[in-house]
Amino acid sequence: MNPENEIMNKKKVIRRTILHALYDREINGNKTRMNCMKSAYQVINPNCTIINVEKPPCFLRKFTPDGSHFIAFSQDQLYIEVYAYLGCSMAAKLLKNYEENCIGQENGDVVRKRIFESLFQLKFRVLVAAEGEQLNRECSLFSDRSSYVILGSVGPIPRNVILKYNDVFTNNEAVTPNLLLPLENYTIHLINIKKGVVCQRIHFKADKISLSHNQGVYLFKDKLAILSVQHQIIHVYNLFRSRFYLLRKIGRFCFDNDLAFISSVHTDILAEDYKARNESFINGLKNKLMVFLYKKAERESEVAGTQYPLRRFYQYYDQFISLRMWKMQLLDVDNMIIRYASEDVVTAKIQEPSTQASYFMIYNMTTATVLNVYENTSSDLLRGYEYFCDTFRNPCLNPNGFMPCSPSNNIYSRDSHEKFKNTMLNARFGGTMEANKRILGQLPIAAQSFSCSPYLDTSLYSYDEKWVSPMERPKVVGEYPIRFYSRESGTLSFYLYTSVSRNRPTQDRRRLVAFTFHPTDPFAISVQRDNLEYIVNFHIRKVYLPE
């Protein structure tokens, strides 16, 4: 064997201990602060799972970005419960006499009953939802300093309320409701977590807003954007001193003074009996899209010396006019990305919307300028997403500076991304366009949908992203525990048990599990649905201290 390879192999299998990590953090040496933090997380990990934890009758949701509080919804989905997180060390006495790494009903009944109250303390229970509405358990947005949380509630329109035609079709871009996309009443709530009070409510009557997984609401710093799919309007608010202030409505108009400008030409627009749904001209935002596409085709015609690009524009003119806003997200305080698709896709009439044609528009809402328009098969947009993935994700940094790994900041995530893309390229009926369409189908990315836990950092640990990943979405329950391997040594570091019994593999492949990781501590919560009940598992750091 080559002596150099032998030395490298010996270095690879060296296992770090907590003493090494503490020593490096104390003297710092030639390492940066982040490297010292990472070395500590390689030896301190959630090495114990408590199966089927007893908890209060509530739905567990998420930690605040600073990790100091935990948010849960009451069982009737009317209240929000704010728990103070006390830290993993508060459970040390409960776990010190257990040598096993998986504590279940047979060997840890006391731990199962007392672990929740050891880690969490109820601070507030706030009535949030209005009468006739229920909170959406998959909708929650936190402010930068973890002082506020934004929730959404939805309820059916009362039977005694008769909707007028003008209330449903408020402009000529409004979509037609159907059984798959019924109109409902929505309310956006602003809650002060530190005081436990509801600061403000914003009501949207007879509308359609996608609250699940924050798809229709987006928070970037102090800017909140809400997409009304029914009325094709983006409402932009500014969060200031516990209140939301409306900045602009983007859709029929792009500026506040657009109505005054148009009324100087069309004086009838100010009449009381004026029907905006009967307008023959294109609304403001769609007009800017059409103008950009026309000028782009005109430039391409001049460069190519042929009228073919312009003829293509006129060929698909009716298709462009029929496009509707489907999803959106804020890229920064000024720019947003809006995804357009056909009305059948927007109103959920098509079973596989990702296979349909759609367009991405980069729009500056401050100057009301269209920066660019891409098809959902664009290689240029895919390249921009790969190299500037964090700009699209807008991740929240945890208190120690960790951010979710992505193809643009992590070589292992980039390698996983390239493998997925190559699979699409080489698959049957695949190819470049199909691969681009599948990857760009992730855009726009929902707000705060990625975990910043260091234990999901692929530069620290290697794990199968089929069972758990930084993206906070339910995964299929695996037959065996999830293994985490150290990147530095290549050895097994810890397990995450998800099944009810560690000795009985899971047979039902349809069961899903959702993970919620603490942003800094070696603690995670997994919730899986078993028939009509939810099974909660705690994954926590345990040190065996026999008496």
Side-chain angles (χ1 to χ4, degrees), residues 78-98:
L78 299 177
Y79 294 80
I80 180 178
E81 299 178 357
V82 181
Y83 291 89
Y85 173 65
L86 305 179
C88 293
S89 59
M90 301 303 293
K93 291 183 179 180
L94 279 175
L95 302 174
K96 68 176 183 178
N97 295 326
Y98 289 90

Side-chain angles (χ1 to χ4, degrees), residues 263 265-274:
S263 63
V265 179
H266 300 276
T267 56
D268 59 333
I269 199 173
L270 298 177
E272 293 184 0
D273 58 346
Y274 181 79

Side-chain angles (χ1 to χ4, degrees), residues 430-444:
T432 302
M433 295 184 63
E434 185 65 25
N436 294 354
K437 187 182 295 185
R438 286 288 301 273
I439 297 174
L440 293 179
Q442 305 173 30
L443 299 179

Side-chain angles (χ1 to χ4, degrees), residues 234-237 246-250 254 256 333 365-366:
I234 300 176
H235 307 264
V236 182
Y237 295 87
L246 181 64
L247 294 180
R248 58 182 63 88
K249 291 183 179 180
I250 304 172
C254 296
D256 294 337
V333 294
M365 57 184 175
T366 305

Side-chain angles (χ1 to χ4, degrees), residues 10-18 20 42-43 45 461 484 486 488-494:
K10 287 183 178 180
K11 289 183 178 180
K12 183 177 181 180
V13 298
I14 293 177
R15 298 196 62 173
R16 299 181 60 84
T17 64
I18 189 171
H20 290 131
Q42 287 179 329
V43 295
N45 45 56
Y461 292 101
F484 284 74
S486 172
E488 187 177 44
S489 63
T491 56
L492 180 64
S493 295
F494 63 95

